[in-house]
Amino acid sequence: MTLQVEVLKPAIGAKVQLDRAMIGDPAVSQELLALLERHTVLVLPQIGLSDAEQLALTDALGERVNVAAQVPGRADAAAVYEVTLNEGAAIEREYVFGTFFWHMDGLTVDVPPPKASLLSARQLAAKGGQTEFATTKAAYAALSDEEKADLEGLRVVHTVTASVREVCGPEGIDEARRALRHEHPLVWTRRDGTKSLIIGSTADQIPGMNQAEARALLARLLDWTAQPAFSYRHEWQEGDCVIWDNPSALHRVVPYAVDSGRRMHRTGIAGVEALA
Ligand SMILES: [Fe+2]
């Protein structure tokens, strides 16, 4: 290990002192990937990445993916995706409001969900805007054997309409997003045998289960995962970059005002394993 690492919580989060000059060094990239695997959320405090540097870091850790560009008619979405409620932003407001609720990135489009997401703080809100992360890997591991057995084989339909349920009706989002849906296993088993829950605000139905039972189960799993032992709240400083293992962690933002000016830059690393 060459990087200086401070563990934030036993189940989730580590602070890594990374110098921008180290980006692209293969040994450093390998170390970051191993740390990501172990800690699920990596905080690079005040690293101050430019867009070009954020893309270079993204490319150093895997294959770049832009889930925003997977939405039909959105192939031109910028490689560095700006998450903001600012006037004139390219992103739909309803979608940003949807980030106030626990979710994983890229569960409703037709490519494997990103292996990891990177988010840089460009401008902070005066109030709110902290990002919370919760590990669905540790949350799954802590379930009883009986609970694990009950989840075995269940599948979940994820839709964008479900993710904006608390924000607006389906008419509040454009037709292309309204049509987006994808089915995933409730429990994802990776090739290395580790398992995580694939849940969040996009989770809509469990085929073969009645709606009330399905929604109650999904809500209980969300509550279970969000408990303090499995979650970490990041208080942003301008220039911070956070990398998280996307299919192992839920994330959401603490609500902030529409006119707060908050501006975050997101990039993604392609999923190498389909959720199976
Ligand atoms: Fe997100």
Side-chain angles (χ1 to χ4, degrees), residues 83 95 99 101 103-106 117 119 244 246 251-252 266:
V83 182
Y95 175 76
T99 66
F101 303 91
H103 68 283
M104 291 174 172
D105 292 337
S117 298
L119 197 62
W244 68 96
N246 178 58
H251 60 285
R252 70 175 177 185
R266 188 188 76 186

Side-chain angles (χ1 to χ4, degrees), residues 25-40:
D25 177 328
V28 170
S29 299
Q30 283 316 306
E31 201 172 327
L32 284 172
L33 288 169
L35 288 167
L36 187 62
E37 176 90 32
R38 187 168 328 130
H39 300 288
T40 307

Side-chain angles (χ1 to χ4, degrees), residues 196-223:
S196 65
L197 298 165
I198 302 297
I199 52 176
S201 61
T202 51
D204 199 6
Q205 304 150 28
I206 297 180
M209 193 181 278
N210 81 52
Q211 182 167 306
E213 207 186 330
R215 295 263 170 92
L217 173 62
L218 292 165
R220 293 176 67 84
L221 291 173
L222 267 192
D223 287 348

